[in-house]
Amino acid sequence: MSSPTNSSAGTPATVDVGRARAFVGSEGRILERRLAQVHLDDDLSAVPAVLAALRAHRNPDGGFGHALEPDARTPDSQPLFADFALDVLDDLAATTKDPGPARDLLAGTGDYLAGVATDGGGVPIVLPTVAAHARAEHWGAGEDPAGLNPTAALAGRFRALGIDHPWVEAAAAFCWRQLDRPDAVTDAHTALCVLRFLETDPDRGRAERAHDALGARLGELALFQLWPGSGYGLTPLQFAPRPDSPRRRFFPDDTVQAHLDALAAAQQPDGSWPISWDAPGETATREWRAIVTLGALRVLRAYRRY
């Protein structure tokens, strides 16, 4: 596939790391500030503070709440928040090579997910309780059925962290039943969930075949931007945030380089990176901008753009 005309021609933009770090420090939650220490400064002494920040979002039912994902301002536990926490913890364990603290923090989360599961192990991304609080429009009234997003990602991360819980087996069976349907994965968010599930499935032959097949058709999916463009969409850099990612092979070099150029060029005068959707209020917008700014710095660092 040939590259369309894009901003990758010419001199790549210079990243103002200091201003970006200052933005995260002034506008980010304590969680993102501490994650910046771990992932940008290689400061593993900050790991207990990351765990403490996540623990503050725990609820007595074993789930996570209190707007851990900033687009839903509810204090109630939501599968969406468990997915956010597990994403952080999966990433953290890969960095520290120690999944033990994550397992401790997630004690009870399997029971919570089993309690909200329907359809033989699947969970919906948000529950109807989300409708009682401010939220982004895309979360609706919490009436969506159980799906691969987020069930596949949750089950995959439980397995990656070595957490043995009966819900994981039921969730995996749900995911494989869904994946047997030809129309199971139609958007980029679901694809990201499914790829993490397949990367941890014990049936490696079956999983690798499905992983390769899904990777080969990412460009066909809704909400995926193979080349830099306007509007909302996931990019190859969300799928392969590091050059050593197993998903990096799905994308041509010129595509990845074009997205890296576009990412660097998107930095704002205040040091942040923007978001491309409407968050539910100014606080959520600031929190998300700090999250995506931290993410941008991590990607650009991993690909040696600064």
Side-chain angles (χ1 to χ4, degrees):
M1 179 183 295
S2 61
S3 169
T5 301
N6 59 57
S7 61
S8 63
T11 304
T14 300
V15 179
D16 190 334
V17 178
R19 188 164 289 184
R21 290 295 301 269
F23 183 89
V24 174
S26 66
E27 302 296 334
R29 304 177 294 186
I30 190 64
L31 174 60
E32 281 69 44
R33 297 182 202 182
R34 293 301 204 173
L35 284 170
Q37 289 180 259
V38 174
H39 294 305
L40 300 179
D41 300 331
D42 303 316
D43 180 5
L44 298 188
S45 72
V47 168
V50 171
L51 298 172
L54 284 174
R55 191 172 293 111
H57 290 270
R58 281 291 305 270
N59 281 327
D61 61 8
F64 291 80
H66 308 282
L68 180 54
E69 196 271 24
D71 276 344
R73 309 308 291 182
T74 174
D76 303 308
S77 295
Q78 297 286 338
L80 170 69
F81 299 153
D83 184 51
F84 193 102
L86 275 155
D87 186 23
V88 171
L89 293 169
D90 187 11
D91 206 17
L92 196 67
T95 298
T96 64
K97 313 302 180 187
D98 180 12
R103 294 173 190 159
D104 294 341
L105 182 59
L106 293 167
T109 304
D111 289 343
Y112 163 73
L113 292 170
V116 299
T118 61
D119 197 16
V123 297
I125 194 161
V126 290
L127 304 174
T129 52
V130 77
H133 301 273
R135 63 202 182 280
E137 183 178 356
H138 53 259
W139 290 138
E143 297 174 345
D144 290 337
L148 289 167
N149 179 9
T151 308
L154 290 164
R157 289 168 180 147
F158 261 67
R159 292 192 300 206
L161 293 168
I163 299 173
D164 185 18
H165 189 279
W167 173 79
V168 177
E169 185 176 349
F174 168 85
C175 291
W176 279 118
R177 288 195 302 273
Q178 296 295 306
L179 290 171
D180 283 340
R181 296 168 33 219
D183 61 345
V185 181
T186 59
D187 70 272
H189 284 286
T190 301
L192 204 54
C193 295
V194 169
L195 289 171
R196 191 67 185 118
F197 171 77
L198 296 172
E199 287 157 4
T200 64
D201 194 82
D203 186 344
R204 295 312 308 147
R206 183 186 189 189
E208 287 170 7
R209 289 190 297 273
H211 194 272
D212 290 347
L214 179 54
R217 66 182 193 88
L218 291 175
E220 306 169 6
L221 301 180
L223 302 179
F224 181 74
Q225 295 180 349
L226 182 60
W227 295 99
S230 61
Y232 179 80
L234 301 187
T235 79
L237 300 179
Q238 267 103 14
F239 283 81
R242 298 183 53 85
D244 58 357
S245 166
R247 306 167 199 154
R248 171 63 183 83
R249 61 194 172 88
F250 295 144
F251 310 111
D253 290 346
D254 55 349
T255 300
V256 172
Q257 294 306 316
H259 276 287
L260 288 168
D261 290 345
L263 183 62
Q267 187 177 21
Q268 303 297 292
D270 64 2
S272 74
W273 271 260
I275 62 174
S276 56
W277 69 94
D278 292 328
E282 293 183 6
T283 298
T285 298
R286 289 196 300 271
E287 290 173 351
W288 265 123
R289 288 176 65 202
I291 291 168
V292 300
T293 296
L294 174 58
L297 287 174
R298 291 188 63 193
V299 168
L300 292 166
R301 183 183 191 228
Y303 281 92
R304 299 184 180 276
R305 285 302 187 99
Y306 69 84

